[in-house]
Amino acid sequence: MKIAILGYGTVGSAVVETLLKNQDLIKARCNEEIIPVIALARSLKPNALIPIVNDIDEVLEREDIDVFVELMGGIDLPFEIISKILKRKKSVVTANKALLAYHRCELEKLAQDTAFGYEASVAGGIPIIKILKEGLSANNIVSIKGILNGTSNYILSKMTEDSAKFQEVLKKAQDLGYAEADPTFDIEGFDAAHKLLILANIAYGLRVKPEDILIEGVSKVSDEDIYFAKEFEYTIKHLGIAKIKDEKIELRVHPVMLNKDKMLAKVDGVMNAISVDGDVLGESLYYGPGAGGKATASAVIADLIDIARKEKNSAIFGYLNDTSYELLNKDEIYTRYYLRLKVLDKIGVLSKITHLMSEHQISIDTFLQKPKKEKQDYSTLFFITHQTYEKNIQILTQRLREQEFVKDDVFMMRIED
Ligand code: HSE
């Protein structure tokens, strides 16, 4: 089986290296040789292990290619290219979660009996798509909660363990090949949102776009939040959450305060982990490397092996499960909240804050005023509220921002119990 790689970066080169390194084993597993014959790259790579070209037509025009592996990134261009390839009845494997978050259903429909694999798009090497489509296919999925962005988890772990500064750790994650070409996708939560939408689409048949859901990243988490979390036995994690609530689907991506004894709280570094709650099985947890060339290559090659085996399994072949589920309105999210704000340290400030809270039906569960250094005029206050609606907390944070005694921004994070 001959393959072409569209995009020869960290992942593309890892796919080729692994196919060559494990070629005997791979042949034994699918009874066929999987041969990378050509790759497309922006610039020619002198040390590449296979011929590299920078004209896409040179690759697409080759009739001898059986499978095209799309690792270019972006949305519109790969959508156009993959559509063309699938119309020619040639198989495609992609790791492109942004593309799939927008166009998975259209592409699967177009593929029909042609193989279209995308295991590598969610959680790197963890075979979570197979798990949902095959292993858990007897279950109604009650919830999915996942650490889906390795870069964010790496940053939060290093800020917690080593008191490292955000920018330094981000730079290291980029050097290690974990971060997206544009790291905003990682640190503002979009990458995790793309992955969550793919999982929610498989689990619930829900077709919504990233702009329809609540997305926040780790970029505003500070060392003060880490300090509070440690004091009160929480760990800060960035989670993608999909769950059934009142016959609707709640979807959100944001940093959370998680009780430090929860299993997801113990997942550190670039690792990903996904907890799936099924109505028959109950909770199961999947853990593994979620970013980097090798992890992604492992999932890309698993799809290639499935194609070589000509298995018409549901992980590769068309599987659409439209349902009547609707998305839960963001305002109706109901949870506990953490608030951090810097205020002038003077008489009456705390009472004004608690008054605003009671006006908006918000009750305090935990409060901490961080002792300030002698010469400072401002104090940092931390609150955890009892459960309330997102709508209430959004109005409250807006009102707090308007107060003349509040300095800087008011930071809010949700608690995941
Ligand atoms: N940038 C992604 C991450 C890579 O950090 O998880 C895998 O999709």
Side-chain angles (χ1 to χ4, degrees):
M1 189 170 90
K2 289 186 179 167
I3 67 159
I5 312 272
L6 305 175
Y8 197 78
T10 312
V11 178
S13 52
V15 168
V16 172
E17 276 161 31
T18 311
L19 282 172
L20 298 178
K21 177 167 122 4
N22 287 357
Q23 59 186 346
D24 295 340
L25 177 84
I26 290 169
K27 186 175 175 194
R29 292 210 166 133
C30 60
N31 211 14
E32 190 163 353
E33 263 181 277
I34 300 181
I35 312 162
V37 291
I38 191 165
L40 172 78
R42 276 198 204 100
S43 56
L44 301 180
K45 318 256 173 189
N47 299 325
L49 300 167
I50 56 170
I52 305 281
V53 294
N54 57 15
D55 174 5
I56 186 144
D57 293 329
E58 258 189 72
V59 185
L60 296 183
E61 278 163 10
R62 283 190 53 159
E63 286 298 328
D64 59 331
I65 305 292
D66 301 296
V67 188
F68 292 84
V69 178
E70 187 275 309
L71 303 169
M72 303 174 357
I75 298 177
D76 296 339
L77 182 62
F79 179 58
E80 199 185 304
I81 292 170
I82 293 176
S83 302
K84 262 192 211 158
I85 299 171
L86 290 174
K87 279 182 193 156
R88 281 169 50 204
K89 302 274 173 215
K90 294 278 186 176
S91 302
V92 174
V93 169
T94 180
N96 187 336
K97 51 254 161 170
L99 164 77
L100 293 162
Y102 284 93
H103 296 298
R104 185 181 82 88
C105 290
E106 286 151 274
L107 289 172
E108 279 210 290
K109 239 177 203 161
L110 198 60
Q112 294 187 4
D113 277 349
T114 306
F116 177 51
Y118 46 88
E119 184 60 70
S121 63
V122 182
I126 307 174
I128 187 65
I129 290 177
K130 265 198 171 185
I131 286 163
L132 283 180
K133 283 186 168 182
E134 297 179 18
L136 300 183
S137 54
N139 289 256
N140 264 312
I141 304 300
V142 180
S143 71
I144 301 172
K145 293 180 189 175
I147 294 175
L148 298 173
N149 184 263
T151 302
S152 299
N153 202 47
Y154 181 78
I155 292 174
L156 291 174
S157 302
K158 291 283 175 202
M159 284 174 76
T160 304
E161 290 160 17
D162 308 342
S163 308
K165 295 275 174 238
F166 185 92
Q167 285 301 338
E168 280 166 27
V169 197
L170 172 61
K171 168 83 179 49
K172 194 146 185 233
Q174 286 176 293
D175 293 346
L176 289 166
Y178 303 152
E180 298 301 299
D182 175 358
T184 323
F185 276 78
D186 299 295
I187 62 173
E188 299 304 345
F190 302 115
D191 175 76
H194 294 151
K195 294 166 180 169
L196 183 73
L197 286 178
I198 297 169
L199 298 181
N201 182 234
I202 293 168
Y204 304 113
L206 192 70
R207 294 195 198 189
V208 294
K209 304 253 182 280
E211 41 277 23
D212 301 325
I213 70 165
L214 194 159
I215 305 175
E216 290 169 12
V218 296
S219 63
K220 294 197 178 114
V221 175
S222 77
D223 44 5
E224 292 190 307
D225 305 317
I226 305 272
Y227 158 83
F228 177 90
K230 283 184 180 165
E231 284 290 305
F232 288 87
E233 315 236 309
Y234 289 105
T235 301
I236 301 177
K237 290 288 166 199
H238 187 259
L239 291 191
I241 298 172
K243 58 181 166 189
I244 301 184
K245 190 183 170 203
D246 304 333
E247 298 303 309
K248 292 187 179 170
I249 305 298
E250 180 171 339
L251 282 187
R252 47 196 172 98
V253 173
H254 50 70
V256 297
M257 289 265 183
L258 201 58
N259 185 304
K260 78 173 184 28
D261 294 328
K262 297 261 181 193
M263 283 196 284
L264 284 176
K266 299 180 201 293
V267 174
D268 288 327
V270 71
M271 302 310 258
N272 279 190
I274 304 160
S275 151
V276 184
D277 187 6
D279 64 343
V280 185
L281 177 68
E283 189 183 352
S284 52
L285 184 77
Y286 309 93
Y287 169 87
K294 282 190 174 177
T296 315
S298 165
V300 166
I301 295 171
D303 276 349
L304 291 171
I305 291 174
D306 275 348
I307 293 173
R309 286 172 176 158
K310 300 190 176 46
E311 280 180 6
K312 289 211 166 200
N313 65 46
S314 59
I316 295 289
F317 292 90
Y319 175 94
L320 292 177
N321 56 343
D322 290 307
T323 66
S324 54
Y325 281 125
E326 280 174 39
L327 186 67
L328 186 88
N329 189 308
K330 290 174 205 170
D331 286 347
E332 291 169 45
I333 292 168
Y334 188 70
T335 186
R336 297 196 297 138
Y337 291 85
Y338 159 87
L339 290 170
R340 162 179 44 89
L341 59 164
K342 199 177 261 187
V343 297
L344 256 185
D345 189 10
K346 66 173 193 185
I347 293 169
V349 163
L350 192 56
S351 87
K352 281 187 186 145
I353 294 171
T354 54
H355 183 73
L356 280 173
M357 286 185 169
S358 66
E359 253 184 52
H360 296 288
Q361 306 297 312
I362 293 167
S363 165
I364 298 166
D365 170 74
T366 307
F367 168 65
L368 177 74
Q369 175 162 354
K370 192 176 172 190
K372 65 179 168 61
K373 304 215 174 85
E374 256 175 36
K375 285 185 188 146
Q376 289 173 337
D377 293 330
Y378 291 92
S379 276
T380 304
L381 309 182
F382 305 88
F383 296 89
I384 287 187
T385 73
H386 286 291
Q387 286 189 316
T388 185
Y389 285 101
E390 179 84 15
K391 182 178 55 193
N392 296 344
I393 209 83
Q394 290 292 354
I395 299 173
L396 173 74
T397 47
Q398 194 45 46
R399 295 284 309 273
L400 287 169
R401 285 178 185 125
E402 291 159 11
Q403 305 304 312
E404 87 293 345
F405 56 78
V406 174
K407 187 177 155 61
D408 304 335
D409 198 18
V410 176
F411 180 64
M412 176 269 279
M413 206 174 349
R414 295 157 195 89
I415 311 284
E416 188 59 29
D417 287 310

